[in-house]
Amino acid sequence: MLGLDKPDQATLQQIGISTAAWAAVFVIINAIILRRRSLGFNNRLVSFLHALVALVLCPAALNWQHPLSGFGQTTTNYQRSVMNLSLGYFTYDMLCCLYIDLDFANVVHHLCTMLGLAVGVCNGVSGAELTFCLLLMEVSNPFLHGRFLMKELGWKQSSLSTINDVSPSILQCSCIMPSLALATMSFNIIGHKA
């Protein structure tokens, strides 16, 4: 078993409100703003917005003086709120994946992500690590979704598209890989003191 504690009513309410809010953003975009675009395009636009929101909220949830210390510490209310917001988004997006594409691989991906966040939210621990992971997951998503959006807009051969295609590789090499290496080394040093 995962040792998953039962979520409290406030947590479930936050996740439900977040799911409804992301669905409302999709409905507004799809029914009012961009009616002529495909459902996939409008869903990618919501995903793009979530990535931007996560990139703003996640860094504020971390202690940047010692970002990788204190593994397994109690989750702060702010970290819990950021994770609940993302749990709501992943719930919304998983349902869209089923409705729009019937993309079961993406559904499994969402379920695994949601399970990891849910463990931290329900047990009230590891909020810093999970928020950091969420930040690392979302850092390249604007480019991923931007690529799809530019393709549907007919901008695939543009300079902007080329820059967009190269940027995730640069981010991977400069941000994600060093962060994961540092996290691994910090865990081995801090987490396993003799």
Side-chain angles (χ1 to χ4, degrees):
M1 294 300 295
L2 290 171
L4 191 65
D5 292 341
K6 184 177 178 184
D8 61 15
Q9 191 65 31
T11 296
L12 293 174
Q13 188 176 10
Q14 273 188 348
I15 295 168
I17 290 169
S18 175
T19 303
W22 289 113
V25 169
F26 174 76
V27 168
I28 290 167
I29 290 171
N30 196 55
I32 299 170
I33 299 172
L34 297 172
R35 289 186 297 221
R36 294 193 176 128
R37 293 288 170 196
S38 68
L39 293 175
F41 182 92
N42 292 337
N43 183 48
R44 289 280 183 160
L45 191 54
V46 174
S47 298
F48 182 84
L49 293 173
H50 171 260
L52 294 179
V53 168
L55 290 174
V56 170
L57 297 179
C58 288
L62 300 171
N63 173 2
W64 287 102
Q65 291 179 341
H66 305 286
L68 302 173
S69 63
F71 287 98
Q73 295 293 320
T74 302
T75 301
T76 67
N77 288 335
Y78 184 78
Q79 291 164 344
R80 181 185 306 268
S81 294
V82 170
M83 290 189 289
N84 287 344
L85 179 78
S86 288
L87 276 167
Y89 162 74
F90 288 121
T91 303
Y92 148 79
D93 199 43
M94 182 183 67
L95 295 172
C96 271
C97 288
L98 286 171
Y99 178 72
I100 295 172
D101 300 345
L102 287 176
D103 185 353
F104 291 108
N106 214 356
V107 169
V108 171
H109 159 75
H110 281 77
L111 286 172
C112 291
T113 302
M114 292 165 64
L115 185 60
L117 290 174
V119 168
V121 168
C122 293
N123 291 344
V125 295
S126 301
E129 298 93 309
L130 290 168
T131 307
F132 186 68
C133 288
L134 185 60
L135 175 65
L136 292 179
M137 286 187 321
E138 295 297 336
V139 76
S140 61
N141 277 348
F143 303 102
L144 171 75
H145 299 304
R147 185 176 203 205
F148 182 91
L149 296 172
M150 283 189 257
K151 182 178 176 184
E152 187 163 323
L153 291 170
W155 299 353
K156 183 73 175 128
Q157 303 304 318
S158 70
S159 298
L160 181 61
S161 180
T162 302
I163 292 168
N164 185 68
D165 288 347
V166 172
S167 297
S169 298
I170 294 169
L171 277 171
Q172 192 82 3
C173 293
S174 64
C175 295
I176 298 173
M177 290 170 53
S179 296
L180 292 175
L182 185 59
T184 302
M185 288 187 301
S186 295
F187 179 75
N188 286 336
I189 295 166
I190 297 168
H192 291 86
K193 289 184 178 178

